[in-house]
Amino acid sequence: MLPHALSKTTTVSHSFNQDELDPDEHHRALLNLTHQLGARLRDDQVVARTLTLTVRYADRTTTSRTRTMPEATAHTLALTRTATGLYESLGLQRAWVRALSLTAELTDAAAAGDATGNWGGEGV
């Protein structure tokens, strides 16, 4: 048995009621997803090392971007900054978006070097 061998993912998704063109609506959905993801990570006492944003368009094609964060985290603010950076890197202009999803590659807090055990509410 390998210590710290936990390597799994968790995904949160948002499907728009109709194909969405407005970038502000995309950002609002992304913010909601990062809050859901951060809460899930803290509840499960795990942290994310890598984050992947997948965008599904009206024509059902998808684009994904992945970023490894400097430090594994469960903090909503860090997840939001990373997810927003991934979205901005797509350079979408007038894209009809059907759905957004965020997938986090997980590790346990001990493997990531977090000895604080502080998994309470974050307020962000």
Side-chain angles (χ1 to χ4, degrees):
M1 181 169 131
L2 296 172
H4 311 301
L6 174 71
S7 179
K8 60 180 182 174
T9 62
T10 189
T11 301
V12 291
S13 299
H14 175 82
S15 295
F16 294 99
N17 291 332
Q18 58 189 23
D19 296 335
E20 185 59 63
L21 180 64
D22 185 357
D24 290 338
E25 290 298 321
H26 301 166
H27 281 282
R28 241 184 303 281
L30 201 55
L31 181 61
N32 184 44
L33 290 175
T34 58
H35 278 268
Q36 289 177 40
L37 183 60
R40 182 180 297 174
L41 296 176
R42 290 186 299 277
D43 286 347
D44 293 344
Q45 296 189 7
V46 294
V47 291
R49 176 150 327 266
T50 302
L51 200 59
T52 299
L53 170 66
T54 302
V55 178
R56 179 170 302 279
Y57 303 102
D59 65 0
R60 299 180 190 230
T61 61
T62 61
T63 303
S64 296
R65 292 289 183 271
T66 300
R67 184 167 296 159
T68 299
M69 295 177 280
E71 293 182 13
T73 187
H75 294 286
T76 302
L77 183 58
L79 295 169
T80 300
R81 287 179 177 156
T82 302
T84 301
L86 290 167
Y87 177 85
E88 297 299 329
S89 75
L90 293 170
L92 299 180
Q93 296 180 9
R94 301 199 44 82
W96 289 97
V97 174
R98 179 162 293 172
L100 299 170
S101 65
L102 283 175
T103 301
E105 183 180 317
L106 308 177
T107 187
D108 64 42
D114 178 31
T116 66
N118 182 12
W119 297 102
E122 182 171 276
V124 175

